Amino acid sequence: MAPADADALAPAVKAAIDAGVPVVTIDRPVNGVPEVLANVAADNLKGAERQGEAIAAQFPKGATIINLQGIPGDKTANDRNQGVHNVLDKQPDLYKFVSEQTARFSRDQGLSVTENILTGQAELPQVIVAANDDSALGAAQAVEARKLNGKIAIYGYDGSTDALKAVSDGSLAATVDQFPGKQGRVAVKTLVDFIREGVKPANSNILVEPVAITKANLADAERIGTITQ
């Protein structure tokens, strides 16, 4: 299962495990239930580092940056925020975060928060980096509404179909593909190995490393078929 709410599912998952049903979570763990067979997820910290590296590659001489963060306190949000800072904070004189606010992984809030930030900025930022594709696409709407297309590079995270289309047409500079299909395949194989052979994974936290997808490597995206068919 892929928990939408890492807290709410805890009693049900605990009950399943107590009844002898093996459980593998995908994308994020269920809080307070370490007894799951495994959690298969993207390495959000490394994925966000790839996001930061993509920004540095496009702006080697530095950039001013708006950072649209995820839900406060959420582990995924924390890792994605930390990964970007891990890369760009190494050169604080080049990469300056002029505003950092939560957009709560939401397209609507990505739009409204970006509008508010841009209204309050004396100079246009060069980069908007977002904790997920929805908030990045909301930011792109705000940028388009101000007729600033091409003047601010926007970076998403998830590798969604909408984001890949936006990378293709230039609305987004990049998205980070976390290969959800691969996560699902690894999760099923983990369950099958346990059910058939009694083999538990060597590590209960199985991480898939994401990749930053730009126009240059768009064909490497897992969902590329959804925009080329």
Side-chain angles (χ1 to χ4, degrees):
M1 63 175 64
D5 188 316
D7 292 314
L9 274 177
V13 172
K14 183 75 165 58
I17 293 170
D18 288 346
V21 179
V23 176
V24 173
T25 50
I26 302 173
D27 188 46
R28 69 182 68 189
V30 174
N31 293 337
V33 191
E35 300 89 355
V36 295
L37 183 62
N39 178 62
V40 181
D43 190 328
N44 283 298
L45 187 68
K46 287 188 177 179
E49 288 175 350
R50 302 295 89 82
Q51 195 180 37
E53 289 164 2
I55 294 170
Q58 186 171 350
F59 295 90
K61 295 183 180 179
T64 50
I65 303 164
I66 290 173
N67 183 11
L68 300 181
Q69 300 166 326
I71 298 171
D74 180 87
K75 184 179 186 304
T76 295
N78 291 344
D79 286 348
R80 292 182 183 183
N81 182 62
Q82 186 61 51
V84 170
H85 276 283
N86 283 352
V87 173
L88 300 180
D89 286 356
K90 292 177 181 177
Q91 296 176 287
D93 293 338
L94 293 182
Y95 302 103
K96 301 183 185 299
F97 290 85
V98 296
S99 181
E100 299 189 82
Q101 295 186 34
T102 177
R104 300 189 67 84
F105 293 137
S106 161
R107 192 173 303 201
D108 288 345
Q109 291 205 31
L111 169 61
S112 61
V113 171
T114 300
E115 286 176 336
N116 292 337
I117 294 174
L118 291 178
T119 298
Q121 291 292 317
E123 297 183 4
L124 281 182
Q126 293 161 286
V127 168
I128 297 174
V129 60
N132 76 334
D133 283 340
D134 272 342
S135 49
L137 291 165
Q141 287 179 262
V143 168
E144 182 178 2
R146 289 172 174 259
K147 303 187 186 305
L148 297 174
N149 306 58
K151 296 183 179 180
I152 303 175
I154 304 171
Y155 296 79
Y157 193 119
D158 281 335
S160 68
T161 296
D162 285 350
L164 295 175
K165 289 177 181 176
V167 170
S168 180
D169 69 26
S171 302
L172 296 187
T175 181
V176 175
D177 196 336
Q178 54 183 352
F179 303 109
K182 182 177 181 180
Q183 291 182 47
R185 291 191 296 274
V186 171
V188 171
K189 186 178 187 305
T190 300
L191 277 171
V192 170
D193 287 347
F194 178 72
I195 292 167
R196 288 182 175 171
E197 311 293 339
V199 176
K200 290 186 176 183
N203 190 328
S204 62
N205 190 35
I206 303 171
L207 297 177
V208 173
E209 185 161 344
V211 172
I213 300 293
T214 65
K215 269 191 176 181
N217 66 339
L218 191 58
D220 294 338
E222 186 175 74
R223 294 171 175 157
I224 187 62
T226 63
I227 69 168
T228 57
Q229 292 175 351

